Amino acid sequence: MAIKAMEIEFGEQINPIRKLEKYKGVCIVNLAFRRQVSQAVGNFDVALNVGSTTRGAGNMEMFHRILAKGYSTFYDAIAFVWHLHRRRDKAFSRQLQDNGRSFGSYLLTCDRNRTVPRLEILHFACSRWLNRLLLRCLMLPGRLACKLVVRELLGSLQSPFAYREGYLQAQRLAAIFEVEPLVAAGGVR
């Protein structure tokens, strides 16, 4: 079985920027972890579900919390995952807008959970995500079509509103099911 450990080992101190960008190169389509890890980091954040107004990022945020708590992660190259890609331009464009919205919501959640200092999140969002990824793509034609970059940028600008609505939606669901509103987000208040 081809299992390899990622760069972060248990207990290793990582700087705040690495905590935010560790998602790079990681597509979290199947995620399994031990019960003790779930008990230590909490449940998935329902406000970041794909069906919520934030359009996703719950798996990325869970992965972030696992790394922030110092747990090791492993990649199994032989695990089979079937993933359908968007075949039409309109669907792909919508997916990129949703990616911008969900990633912005993920950063706002990291701020709310205080897993990374606020100034580090702001620095990361402005210098690495918006500037390097999105704005440079607009200035360097050929890497990605401008309209696709604009869609992700638009989604990122929608993320604060989607984030707020996602958490209000989670609170309404919590009231219906008679549970504490943020228990679903790992008990972070």
Side-chain angles (χ1 to χ4, degrees), residues 26-31 59 80-83:
V26 176
C27 181
I28 306 166
V29 289
N30 283 348
L31 181 65
N59 54 1
F80 181 76
V81 177
W82 187 272
H83 181 76

Side-chain angles (χ1 to χ4, degrees), residues 20-38:
L20 290 172
E21 67 184 6
K22 195 60 195 169
Y23 77 94
K24 291 170 81 171
V26 176
C27 181
I28 306 166
V29 289
N30 283 348
L31 181 65
F33 45 89
R34 297 181 189 275
R35 181 178 292 147
Q36 70 187 43
V37 173
S38 175

Side-chain angles (χ1 to χ4, degrees), residues 45-125:
D45 188 338
V46 295
L48 297 175
N49 283 346
V50 173
S52 73
T53 58
T54 60
R55 304 282 196 268
N59 54 1
M60 186 183 341
E61 193 271 335
M62 173 61 87
F63 187 70
H64 169 83
R65 277 190 282 143
I66 289 169
L67 293 178
K69 287 279 190 177
Y71 288 98
S72 295
T73 58
F74 297 90
Y75 170 71
D76 186 350
I78 64 169
F80 181 76
V81 177
W82 187 272
H83 181 76
L84 296 176
H85 292 277
R86 309 305 188 274
R87 294 181 188 259
R88 302 193 189 280
D89 287 347
K90 186 175 180 179
F92 184 59
S93 180
R94 175 61 188 233
Q95 178 64 48
L96 287 177
Q97 184 172 347
D98 288 349
N99 288 352
R101 179 186 279 198
S102 64
F103 191 71
S105 297
Y106 156 72
L107 292 177
L108 290 166
T109 302
C110 290
D111 178 56
R112 186 200 73 210
N113 291 346
R114 302 287 189 256
T115 53
V116 177
R118 181 172 287 163
L119 287 176
E120 296 293 338
I121 294 171
L122 185 62
H123 177 263
F124 175 83

Side-chain angles (χ1 to χ4, degrees), residues 8-28:
I8 298 174
E9 295 300 325
F10 183 79
E12 178 186 342
Q13 294 297 313
I14 55 176
N15 71 44
I17 295 297
R18 278 194 68 204
K19 285 182 186 177
L20 290 172
E21 67 184 6
K22 195 60 195 169
Y23 77 94
K24 291 170 81 171
V26 176
C27 181
I28 306 166

